[in-house]
Amino acid sequence: MHSINWVNSPVLVEALARYQEGRLSHSIKLWIEQILELNSEQT
């Protein structure tokens, strides 16, 4: 598996907005948390 070296900013912004609204699928939510090093227990 390749590590992610870049992320399309508009995609990340949209995904983050949906993350905050709780409108993401589980796999995308985990991806956002991994990219941004978020702890899901704190959100």
Side-chain angles (χ1 to χ4, degrees), residues 2 7 14 16-17 19 26 29-30 33-34 36-37 41:
H2 298 281
V7 176
E14 180 65 25
L16 187 55
Y19 176 85
H26 183 69
K29 180 178 181 248
L30 292 176
E33 290 171 352
Q34 181 180 11
L36 299 179
E37 299 179 350
E41 296 174 3

Side-chain angles (χ1 to χ4, degrees), residues 6-32:
W6 62 271
V7 176
N8 184 320
S9 296
V11 171
L12 183 58
V13 169
E14 180 65 25
L16 187 55
R18 292 183 187 197
Y19 176 85
Q20 291 175 330
E21 296 169 359
R23 298 190 303 137
L24 288 180
S25 68
H26 183 69
S27 60
I28 300 297
K29 180 178 181 248
L30 292 176
W31 177 74
I32 290 292

